[in-house]
Amino acid sequence: ITQKIILCCKHLRMVQKLQKLFDIINIPLGWLLEWMTGLFNNSFAVAVLIFTVVINVACIPLNLKSQKSSVGQIRIKPKLDELKKKCGDDRQKYSMEMQKLYQEENISMSGGCLPMLIRLPLMMSVYYLIRSPLTYLMHISKDTIQTAWDALVATGAIKNTKYLDELAVIDAVNKGTISSPEIAAQVNSVDFNLFGIDLTQTPKFNWNVIEGWDAIWLIPILAFAAQMLVSIVSMRMQKRINPDAPSMAGMMLTMPLMSLFIGFSLPGGVGFYWICSSLVSGGIQTLLQYFYSPYKMLADERAKSIVKVYADEQKYLENRVSSQEEEK
């Protein structure tokens, strides 16, 4: 029992540290989301959509940096293939030669991963922000939220009590399942409806689809469809750019199915954010692949190199002719 208590305390400290780390990003983003909600007639759904667009547009420089890093990888691929043949099964020698080649070509081995590592905590932070409107959008005290959550758990309406779900608290306050005047006063200032769908509610699947149908089922279904669309377009773009790339058909189906399955266990607000994020980030990535694909950027780089060589040769010839005329 003592060991379990110690482990729980350590886990709690870790969660608190992570929350403080995310707060560095979430607090200013929370003010931005609050401003957008007020700007769009207190509509939480519209604010989330515009907020998602702003965040993804802000990440475009990181995506471009990752694309540019891929150019270097493609450029030295023939040399890497030669090294593989030369080193054979000697992996240690191949690794050393590969590092040497990267240094000579001035290419970072982690250049393509670094932008994604920077973006990952931002995306996790935004996800946590959307799930916690009471904290970051309405600025309600943690004690008030915790008291309301404890009251909701005591009713037995919550199955998963490991993580505090603020959207579930809002839904319970709206339905009168629990009483929290402070939260009720703030919740009334924000519209959580999307075409009649309450985004604070959690979809509950029923095998009797005809009689058990609920409009909020559209959220996880559309999350699945959006992720599927993005996966198909992304795979086709990748095949067009690099026909030799390995097939990702398994992953293409896995991610949408996960969105569908998990979407029936989380509030509609989270599922709606997934829909927006999939479509916006997928659309931006498709445009970047079309206009700034690594192979197109490499072709431009080689074209500029050829033009520079030609210009240098012309300049050399002009200087030589000029020197000969002076000698005469």
Side-chain angles (χ1 to χ4, degrees):
I1 295 175
T2 304
Q3 289 178 348
K4 288 184 178 180
I5 293 174
I6 292 172
L7 287 173
C8 289
C9 290
K10 287 182 178 179
H11 176 70
L12 180 60
R13 290 195 203 101
M14 184 179 70
V15 171
Q16 290 173 343
K17 288 180 180 178
L18 285 174
Q19 187 171 355
K20 288 180 180 179
L21 178 64
F22 283 133
D23 279 349
I24 298 173
I25 307 174
N26 282 340
I27 290 175
L29 290 182
W31 288 107
L32 176 62
L33 182 61
E34 181 184 11
W35 175 76
M36 287 183 176
T37 303
L39 185 65
F40 295 101
N41 199 27
N42 297 326
S43 173
F44 180 73
V46 176
V48 168
L49 173 59
I50 303 301
F51 181 80
T52 306
V53 172
V54 170
I55 294 298
N56 279 275
V57 168
C59 289
I60 287 179
L62 293 176
N63 292 337
L64 282 175
K65 187 174 179 62
S66 181
Q67 295 281 87
K68 290 178 180 178
S69 178
S70 299
V71 173
Q73 301 281 350
I74 296 170
R75 187 173 62 244
I76 66 170
K77 188 178 183 300
K79 295 182 180 180
L80 287 174
D81 292 339
E82 290 180 8
L83 281 179
K84 284 182 180 179
K85 293 179 181 178
K86 181 180 177 182
C87 298
D89 296 331
D90 193 342
R91 294 185 179 181
Q92 185 175 358
K93 184 180 178 181
Y94 173 71
S95 179
M96 292 174 62
E97 292 293 333
M98 182 174 64
Q99 291 179 9
K100 184 179 177 181
L101 177 62
Y102 272 82
Q103 290 176 357
E104 290 174 353
E105 297 288 340
N106 195 26
I107 299 173
S108 173
M109 297 183 70
S110 60
C113 299
L114 186 58
M116 298 305 298
L117 291 176
I118 295 173
R119 183 174 176 173
L120 182 60
L122 177 61
M123 292 296 102
M124 291 176 63
S125 182
V126 171
Y127 166 75
Y128 187 74
L129 173 66
I130 300 300
R131 288 201 66 177
S132 310
L134 294 177
T135 299
Y136 299 106
L137 182 60
M138 304 174 196
H139 311 292
I140 296 174
S141 68
K142 292 181 180 179
D143 291 338
T144 301
I145 298 171
Q146 187 62 53
T147 300
W149 174 251
D150 292 339
L152 180 57
V153 171
T155 63
I158 299 296
K159 294 181 180 180
N160 186 1
T161 60
K162 292 182 180 180
Y163 304 103
L164 195 155
D165 192 338
E166 293 188 11
L167 287 170
V169 171
I170 294 172
D171 181 40
V173 170
N174 286 334
K175 289 180 177 178
T177 306
I178 60 174
S179 176
S180 179
E182 185 177 348
I183 293 177
Q186 292 289 334
V187 166
N188 291 332
S189 64
V190 180
D191 182 12
F192 287 94
N193 285 303
L194 174 66
F195 302 117
I197 299 175
D198 187 356
L199 296 179
T200 64
Q201 293 184 0
T202 300
K204 295 180 181 178
F205 184 73
N206 188 335
W207 288 107
N208 189 351
V209 178
I210 297 176
E211 295 181 4
W213 170 261
D214 193 339
I216 200 170
W217 285 15
L218 289 172
I219 298 296
I221 291 172
L222 289 175
F224 167 81
Q227 185 65 55
M228 195 71 186
L229 175 64
V230 171
S231 297
I232 293 172
V233 172
S234 177
M235 188 177 71
R236 288 187 176 181
M237 288 290 294
Q238 187 65 30
K239 280 294 182 183
R240 185 182 299 175
I241 294 169
N242 184 11
D244 297 330
S247 176
M248 300 291 288
M251 185 63 68
M252 182 187 74
L253 188 59
T254 301
M255 294 304 294
L257 286 175
M258 286 180 62
S259 298
L260 179 65
F261 178 75
I262 299 175
F264 275 98
S265 60
L266 293 174
V270 178
F272 178 69
Y273 165 68
W274 283 350
I275 296 170
C276 297
S277 182
S278 295
L279 294 177
V280 173
S281 63
I284 290 175
Q285 190 60 34
T286 299
L287 290 174
L288 288 177
Q289 285 286 359
Y290 183 79
F291 291 104
Y292 298 99
S293 72
Y295 285 92
K296 185 176 289 187
M297 293 172 72
L298 180 60
D300 291 341
E301 182 182 294
R302 287 172 175 170
K304 289 178 181 178
S305 178
I306 292 171
V307 171
K308 186 177 182 303
V309 170
Y310 176 77
D312 290 342
E313 288 179 352
Q314 289 294 111
K315 188 176 181 180
Y316 170 76
L317 291 173
E318 289 174 1
N319 291 335
R320 187 172 179 180
V321 170
S322 178
S323 300
Q324 289 175 351
E325 289 179 352
E326 289 178 358
E327 289 178 359
K328 290 180 181 180

